[in-house]
């Protein structure tokens, strides 16, 4: 055994050892209980970053720990490999997206290998491979057959920079989630998936996601956005036309002062005479930060009071939400309030804050005659609402809804904020949508026997003009599967979130054996699903996680799997922060994992990312923290090297044999500390994966081992036991050094490596303290500490506290005891007064 810790020497050796022997390969015929651990797979951008290191280190600790606990662990990895960066690289550098992608995969796979991650690479999936995306196409065809996929003309979110459509979930603050360009609305024929068919089920099942962070569950609930609403018809004055709106606040109907139509609304063209003005406002459709309105010259009738209210076309009203028309109540909606001020429209208060009398209304400017400073959007008491004045908002909603239904001018409805998922993208590097267009038959799905529809190679990447597939005759020209006539292929490709919505199912089978049949649940899927532990970033709370929940239900209803939820437990790790900001190339604060591995080793890189913060919290980068992690591993190496010959001898003779009664006091203390550490590390991993405190406990134990001097063979056995325990406990966190020292100390008896060893168990009796420190307080303030035998009864602890010199002195000074409280055998609080 070398005296010096040299990770560059030992780590590649163990990585080759694991790979050659397929240590982490798993199978369905293993009788042990299954455990499916999964981290969100990466986009092969070319380099892993510290966020990847942290994410994958977290998952690897869980997988290695569960394997040592006796589970049959599936821990796979693959590549989310379709997407625009590859296409952009083709445009910029003249390299085909496929070549760019697969070269990046090769490089990143080597990087992941250098981290010592315990993946079963036999199940690797690459979403841009035809073997994978043929099943994207198969699932699409099955959804088409079930009415869950459909095509329609609609206004969509369009990124002018990326020249493609974005799903609603991909628009963040009116900007493209990928490039931050401003998003505009554009009318196109698009393919949609009917996720709204599962809206109620997805919402109700949120309450069953007990293993998910509450904030993620809440984000999903809010995005689905179920609300009880009222559908109301406003008749256009002087015509037979009706404008239908949906409102969740029928208690504000008396305050509806104008109606706003979306520019694509069918009545907009009919009512607006100035078509040039309408085209202008349509050009700004969907730009929420730029409110524009156009008076149609027409009025409609408010059904609760028969008032004539003007009809406007407004660019911020989206056709995809509700009915494409809204009733505008400026006194109680800030957006309507701003619009009313901009166009000098009247404002009427119809809700007063609860408990707000006349004086309060005067002070807040809420009585007639005083201008409002802002909208009051909360519930309250109805005013200026005819016979409903004086009612609370909830009663007002119910009574006004009854009136509307009685008049036959509307009905109560359940509404969802969730919209169907638009999957059409005007790009090349994605899954071709398996549809052809025939002049005679219309849109027709490709035959299943003709899948996959392969992406062609004869394309040119210019960066302009939409999809390059439009200029590929070999791809574009096809035959109609229905009539055999000439047809044209769909040139849009699928949103890449389609690929990642079911990849966790593919891992259960592996790319080579990937095959699905409607009505048949493959034994691999029955064995492995659902994922027991999923690890990834909270930024995917709505996009990927919601789509995956939807997709799992679709696959369930196809009879392929039995589960409704894909992920039993979810851990969302925090970001890696440096200099107060998330690491990014644009900020110049990136740390290259290659540099860390080359200088300190993979184990140090893993250890720092796990120790610096709890997994769910942001991790603040620290060069000193990295150096500290390396020093700790160097100390572990030195502890093993110091007595490696003695430990090897004990192991060779079948030891260590622990006889507490024969060990010295120091030996018993180290033995106790070792059992306490096993208990602590086990508890911290099981309890929300608190790896940082688990590692801190190992550091404490190593400090005690460093100062320990065995007096005899019994004491040396204790040291051997402590070293053995430390290495087993370190194995999930820093597997290379644990493997190397396990072998060097001769502890690898009967198994190939420490990765195949069982997790250590603690002895509750041996972990119990002989003495504990009793904290004594008077009226909550610390007054003294004494050592007492562990496990003393509360009445004896009370006596010990009262007998302490500090308390005796206070009692002699005239202090009167009112109550004595004993807390968990470690604290006595004396409540006293004069």
């Amino acid at each position: 055994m070398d005296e010096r810790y040299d990770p560059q020497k030992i780590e590649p050796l163990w990585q080759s050892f694991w790979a050659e022997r397929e240590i982490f390969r798993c199978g369905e015929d293993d009788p042990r209980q299954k455990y499916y651990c999964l981290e969100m797979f990466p986009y092969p951008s070319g380099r892993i970053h510290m966020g990847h290191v942290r994410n994958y280190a977290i998952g690897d600790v869980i997988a290695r720990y569960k394997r040592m606990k006796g589970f049959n662990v599936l821990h796979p990895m693959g590549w989310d490999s379709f997407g625009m960066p590859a296409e952009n690289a083709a445009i910029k550098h003249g390299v085909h997206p496929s070549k760019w992608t697969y070269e990046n995969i090769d490089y990143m796979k080597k990087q992941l290998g250098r981290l010592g991650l315990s993946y079963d690479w036999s199940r690797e999936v690459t979403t841009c491979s035809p073997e994978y995306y043929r099943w994207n196409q198969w699932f699409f065809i099955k959804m088409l057959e079930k009415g869950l996929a459909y095509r329609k003309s609609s206004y969509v979110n369009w990124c002018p920079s990326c020249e493609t459509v974005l799903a609603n979930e991909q628009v963040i603050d009116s900007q493209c989630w990928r490039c931050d360009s401003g998003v505009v609305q554009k009318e196109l024929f698009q393919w949609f998936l009917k996720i709204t068919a599962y809206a109620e089920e997805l919402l109700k099942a949120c309450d069953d996601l007990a293993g998910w962070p509450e904030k993620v569950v809440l984000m999903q609930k809010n995005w689905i956005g179920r609300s009880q609403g009222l559908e109301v018809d406003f008749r256009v004055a002087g015509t037979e036309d009706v404008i239908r709106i949906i409102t969740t606040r029928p208690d504000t109907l008396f305050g509806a002062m104008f109606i706003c139509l979306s520019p694509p609304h069918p009545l907009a063209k009919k009512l607006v005479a100035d078509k040039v003005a309408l085209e202008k406002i349509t050009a700004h459709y969907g730009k929420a930060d730029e409110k524009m309105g156009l008076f149609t010259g027409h009025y409609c009738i408010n059904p609760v009071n028969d008032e004539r209210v003007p009809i406007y076309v407004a660019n911020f009203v989206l056709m995809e939400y509700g009915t494409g028309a809204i009733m505008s109540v400026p006194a109680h909606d800030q957006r309507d309030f701003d619009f009313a001020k901009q166009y000098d429209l009247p404002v009427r208060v119809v809700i007063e804050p609860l408990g707000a009398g006349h004086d309060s209304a005067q002070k807040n400017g809420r009585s007639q005659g005083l201008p409002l400073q802002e909208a009051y959007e909360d519930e309250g008491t109805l005013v200026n609402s005819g016979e409903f004045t004086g009612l609370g908002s909830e009663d007002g909603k119910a009574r006004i809804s009854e009136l509307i239904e009685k008049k036959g001018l509307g009905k109560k409805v359940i509404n969802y904020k969730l919209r169907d998922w638009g999957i059409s993208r005007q790009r090349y590097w994605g899954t071709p949508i398996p549809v052809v267009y025939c002049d005679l038959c219309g849109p027709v799905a490709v035959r299943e026997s003709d899948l996959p529809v392969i992406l062609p190679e004869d394309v040119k990447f210019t960066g302009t003009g939409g999809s390059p597939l439009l200029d590929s005759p070999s791809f574009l020209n096809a035959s109609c599967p229905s009539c055999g006539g000439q047809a044209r292929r769909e040139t849009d490709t699928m949103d890449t979130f389609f690929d990642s919505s079911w990849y966790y199912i593919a891992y259960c089978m592996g790319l080579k054996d990937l095959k699905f049949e409607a009505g048949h649940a493959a034994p691999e899927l029955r064995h492995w699903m659902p994922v027991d532990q999923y690890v990834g970033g909270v930024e995917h709370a709505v996009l990927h996680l919601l789509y995956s929940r939807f997709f799992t239900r679709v696959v369930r209803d196809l009879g392929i799997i039995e589960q409704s939820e894909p992920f039993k437990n979810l851990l969302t790790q925090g970001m890696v922060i440096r200099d107060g900001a998330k690491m990014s190339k644009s900020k110049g604060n990136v740390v290259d994992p290659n540099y860390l591995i080359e200088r300190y080793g993979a184990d140090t890189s893993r250890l720092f990312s796990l120790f610096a913060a709890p997994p769910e919290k942001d991790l603040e980068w620290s060069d000193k923290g990295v150096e500290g992690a390396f020093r700790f591993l160097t100390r572990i190496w030195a502890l093993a090297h110091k007595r490696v010959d003695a430990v090897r001898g004990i192991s060779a003779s079948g030891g260590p044999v622990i006889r507490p009664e024969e060990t010295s006091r120091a030996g018993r203390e180290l033995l106790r500390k070792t059992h306490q550490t096993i208990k602590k590390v086990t508890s911290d991993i099981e309890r929300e994966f608190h790896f940082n405190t688990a590692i801190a406990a190992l550091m404490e134990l190593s400090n005690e081992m460093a100062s320990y001097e065995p007096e005899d063979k019994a004491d040396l056995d204790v040291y051997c036991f402590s070293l053995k325990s430390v290495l087993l406990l370190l194995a999930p966190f820093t597997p290379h050094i644990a493997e190397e020292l396990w072998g060097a100390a001769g502890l690898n008896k009967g198994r190939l490596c420490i990765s195949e060893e069982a997790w250590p168990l603690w002895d509750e009796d041996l972990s119990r303290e002989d003495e504990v420190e009793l904290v004594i307080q008077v009226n909550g303030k610390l007054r003294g500490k004494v050592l007492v035998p562990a496990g003393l009864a509360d009445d004896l602890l009370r006596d010990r506290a009262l007998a302490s010199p500090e308390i005796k002195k206070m009692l002699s000074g005239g202090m009167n005891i009112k109550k004595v409280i004993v807390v968990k055998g470690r604290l006595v609080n004396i409540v006293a007064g004069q």
Side-chain angles (χ1 to χ4, degrees), residues 574-591:
M575 297 183 296
V576 180
I577 307 294
R578 190 182 191 191
D579 301 328
K582 179 183 178 182
M583 280 191 181
S584 69
K585 292 180 181 178
S586 61
K587 294 184 175 67
N589 64 350
V590 171
V591 174

Side-chain angles (χ1 to χ4, degrees), residues 133-173:
Y133 69 70
R134 72 163 294 169
W135 296 106
N136 276 350
Q137 296 168 345
W138 186 83
F139 281 126
F140 176 87
I141 290 171
K142 292 302 174 186
M143 291 188 200
L144 195 61
E145 292 172 357
K146 287 183 168 290
L148 293 173
Y150 64 93
R151 184 173 183 258
K152 71 172 182 177
S153 174
S154 69
Y155 278 84
V156 294
N157 304 307
W158 178 262
C159 175
S161 176
C162 298
E163 290 191 314
T164 193
V165 172
L166 303 176
N168 294 323
E169 294 86 347
Q170 294 168 323
V171 180
I172 311 297
D173 296 329

Side-chain angles (χ1 to χ4, degrees), residues 88-117:
N88 292 338
I91 295 166
K92 185 176 182 179
H93 303 297
V95 58
H96 194 275
S98 178
K99 185 175 186 293
W100 183 86
T101 299
Y102 279 102
E103 286 178 351
N104 288 347
I105 288 174
D106 288 341
Y107 187 86
M108 290 178 70
K109 191 171 181 179
K110 291 185 178 77
Q111 285 186 297
L112 294 181
R114 283 291 286 116
L115 284 169
L117 302 167

Side-chain angles (χ1 to χ4, degrees), residues 502-717:
W502 65 276
Y503 78 106
Y504 48 90
I505 297 175
Y507 280 142
C508 297
M509 308 171 84
L511 199 57
K512 295 177 184 176
D513 300 318
L514 201 55
K515 185 177 181 180
F516 299 107
E517 181 182 344
H520 174 68
E524 299 95 330
L525 301 180
R526 288 199 302 268
H527 182 84
W528 291 113
M529 286 296 291
V531 175
D532 292 284
Q533 183 63 60
Y534 200 32
V535 182
V538 72
E539 65 271 17
H540 299 291
V542 171
L543 286 164
H544 163 59
L545 292 173
L546 185 60
Y547 291 156
S548 296
R549 295 183 64 221
F550 159 64
F551 217 103
T552 301
R553 285 163 168 80
V554 172
V555 178
R556 175 202 65 192
D557 291 347
L558 288 172
I560 294 171
I561 61 174
E562 300 169 348
Q563 294 78 20
S564 299
E565 292 294 341
F567 314 119
K568 184 177 179 182
N569 297 290
L570 173 68
L571 190 159
T572 53
Q573 90 278 359
M575 297 183 296
V576 180
I577 307 294
R578 190 182 191 191
D579 301 328
K582 179 183 178 182
M583 280 191 181
S584 69
K585 292 180 181 178
S586 61
K587 294 184 175 67
N589 64 350
V590 171
V591 174
D592 184 2
N594 284 355
Y595 164 78
L596 277 186
I597 293 170
E598 289 166 6
R599 180 169 181 180
Y600 297 104
D603 281 342
T604 293
S605 304
R606 292 167 60 117
L607 188 69
F608 169 74
S609 69
L610 296 164
F611 177 61
E616 72 279 5
K617 302 293 184 182
D618 289 345
L619 183 156
E620 182 68 42
W621 181 263
S622 166
D623 293 332
K624 290 183 178 179
V626 175
E627 292 166 1
F630 182 75
R631 285 195 303 272
F632 168 65
L633 294 181
T634 301
R635 184 163 67 249
I636 293 294
W637 186 274
L639 288 173
H641 183 270
K642 182 178 181 180
R643 296 191 174 90
V644 66
D645 292 335
V647 172
R648 191 183 293 120
I650 291 172
S651 179
S653 63
V657 178
I658 305 299
R659 297 184 178 90
E661 68 280 359
E662 297 180 10
T663 61
S664 66
R665 179 182 178 87
R668 290 195 298 274
E669 288 178 354
L670 181 58
L671 182 62
R672 181 186 305 113
K673 184 66 173 179
T674 302
H675 280 282
Q676 289 174 344
T677 303
I678 296 171
K679 181 178 181 180
K680 170 70 173 170
V681 173
T682 305
S683 173
D684 285 351
I685 293 176
E686 293 283 357
R687 182 180 57 88
E688 299 179 348
F689 307 122
H690 284 182
F691 304 138
N692 57 321
T693 53
I695 293 168
L698 284 165
M699 291 177 172
E700 289 182 14
L701 177 58
S702 71
N703 289 336
E704 294 209 11
M705 291 176 67
S707 61
Y708 179 68
E709 293 295 335
E711 297 179 8
D712 52 24
K713 171 65 168 59
D715 279 2
L716 197 57
D717 275 346

